[in-house]
Amino acid sequence: MTYKAFIPTRDHRKCIDQTSLEHHYWGGDNDVSEITSCVQRPLFDGIIVSVLFQAVLNAAIPDHDADAFRPPRTEEHLYLDSVVEWLFGGLSHWDAEHYLFIAERGYLYEHNFAFFPLFPVVLRGLVETLLRPLSSWLSVRGRLLLAVAVGNSALFLLSAVALYALSRAVLQDRRLALLSSFLYCITPANVFMTAGYSESLFAALTYGGLLLLEKGFTFTACLALSIATAARSNGLVNIGFLLYLPALRAISQIRVYRTTTTGYSKVLRYIWVTLRLLLTSLLGTAVIALPFCAFQYYGYRTFCTPSTSLEQIHPSLLSLAEKRSYRVPNENGPPPLWCMRPLPLLYSHIQDVYWDVGFLRYFELRQIPNFILALPMATLGIVAVYAYFQANSELCLRLGLWETSSKKGLDKPIPGFFNPKVFVYIVHSAVLLVFGTLCMHVQVLTRFMASSSPVPFWISAHLLLLNEPLLHRRKTSSSTVQLHTDFRNCCKHTTQNPIVALLPHFKACSPTTQCILGYFLSYWLLGLALHCNFLPWT
């Protein structure tokens, strides 16, 4: 496959314009309830299969003795704890142990502050409300595990619906939006969407906030994106959307005023649009950054001006701190050195000291397997950037902010992946990809990208529609291969899910389809097998 296929030529644009009836065939605009039902079915089935698989694999494969955070259990086991542990224990490994510990004990150890508070608060809220009637049969730990399974399943569904709605608003192509949502249901980061991680919560808030921003609800969008920052630190990157999309609308308004108003009225309107943009940018940036700043202040108060003595800490937890050199707050001890810095950011200190995160620190020969692990997601990100720049090089050079007077082509933007509205999402994805590759533990790139950007699913769906003949016809040249690809009716029968329909004919699919589906499904299965047994898959 050559990249020439990516470029929408004038003939291609004309073809798109002539096939508007085909786009209408895939469905209308008022389909929120339909898509909820449509995505719910494959996603709900996938969640059930994931939970069953992790339970069986966790029981069948002995847990690896990993050098990971494993706090001691200080509660007595109740009647149903062993059952819940058997069913959902695989969802509590690696970083999930931190979230569960924080939800149960609060921020006791210094390195716990690498994990932001919203997800533990949600888990604790479920334990103290919906799951409180089970307190006679389940300990707090057992109820937390149950809260992980129930809460993340609901959040995963919400994020899938939000992704579809965002895709419809940006791509303006129902086929591509729907196929992207189906691919999201089998995301390579699947195990992290159902385990005790904050990925599903962050994805739901991020996609929902970006949808509100696309619809023009700037204040509500700021609140959603602000709450997302309370779930993960990379929510700060979403400030870029807040700066870009209102600026795009302001430039459009100025262009309108330039032709419809004159004199002082024009000048006053220009001033008003500019002031409103500045106020929106400043206030919105402050709102989105506020949870991060507040959490860092809480960490500063906890360790730099502590009010806790060692006698107030449970002996087994204090013993673990001494054994593993975990710092705990101690009002009678000296403050840590990071408190003396001009900008005492606990998060930066933890990433540096506990996880050895920094620029190019992961570029070592022994980390080659982890780079290979992240290569498929990185490849999708690179292909998305390259293809979009090839198709819209002039738009990219202009940062998508204004149009040239010599613009030719359709009056309306091209629906699909090459829509001009996709530009800011491509930039956002590229920033995450570069930062994740150069400054993070590269093996987390899969879940980092899959929960933060819709671009990996958009480019995957775009490539499938571009290169897979089976998605475009009811019957193929082979009488044994028949697919139901009427996306308008795909919700009525589960066999009409195009991804599910492709799997029995995997060998007949194009190489592009085999690579994409092979990547999604293999990581879906490997993640469950490895992560749930404390094997390296983080």
Side-chain angles (χ1 to χ4, degrees), residues 241 381 384-385 424-434 449 453 455-456:
F241 289 102
V385 173
V424 66
Y425 295 88
I426 293 291
V427 174
H428 173 256
S429 174
V431 169
L432 294 180
L433 177 60
V434 171
M449 294 284 290
S453 171
V455 170

Side-chain angles (χ1 to χ4, degrees), residues 15 81 108 142 202 275 302 315 342 448:
C15 177
D81 278 338
L108 176 62
F202 182 75
L275 287 176
T302 300
F448 180 63

Side-chain angles (χ1 to χ4, degrees), residues 87 136 146 159 180 312 315 328 388 508:
L87 285 174
S136 299
L146 191 57
S159 66
S180 300
Q312 296 174 269
V328 296
Y388 193 85

Side-chain angles (χ1 to χ4, degrees), residues 62-173:
D63 281 355
H64 174 62
D65 186 17
D67 184 22
F69 180 64
R70 294 187 182 184
R73 307 284 181 257
T74 58
E75 282 187 296
E76 287 188 23
H77 271 53
L78 299 180
Y79 304 107
L80 296 180
D81 278 338
S82 57
V83 176
V84 170
E85 187 70 35
W86 187 89
L87 285 174
F88 307 122
L91 304 179
S92 67
H93 293 167
W94 293 110
D95 289 354
E97 283 285 8
H98 289 275
Y99 285 113
L100 292 171
F101 178 80
I102 294 166
E104 183 178 359
R105 295 283 180 177
Y107 285 92
L108 176 62
Y109 302 126
E110 186 180 59
H111 67 286
N112 290 148
F113 278 81
F115 305 92
F116 277 47
L118 182 60
F119 185 60
V121 168
V122 170
L123 293 181
R124 190 70 190 195
L126 289 174
V127 165
E128 298 298 338
T129 55
L130 294 178
L131 301 179
R132 190 172 183 82
L134 299 176
S135 57
S136 299
W137 295 276
L138 282 172
S139 64
V140 173
R141 165 78 180 191
R143 281 180 284 155
L144 284 171
L145 277 178
L146 191 57
V148 164
V150 174
N152 267 353
S153 297
L155 290 167
F156 194 13
L157 174 60
L158 286 175
S159 66
V161 175
L163 174 63
Y164 172 78
L166 176 64
S167 303
R168 286 285 283 141
V170 176
L171 302 173
Q172 299 175 354
D173 185 330

Side-chain angles (χ1 to χ4, degrees), residues 25 99 137 174 189 201 224 227 234 249 268 292 313 328 382:
Y25 173 73
Y99 285 113
W137 295 276
R174 187 176 184 273
L201 176 61
I227 298 172
N234 58 296
R249 294 193 195 97
L268 290 175
F292 179 87
I313 301 174
V328 296
I382 293 170

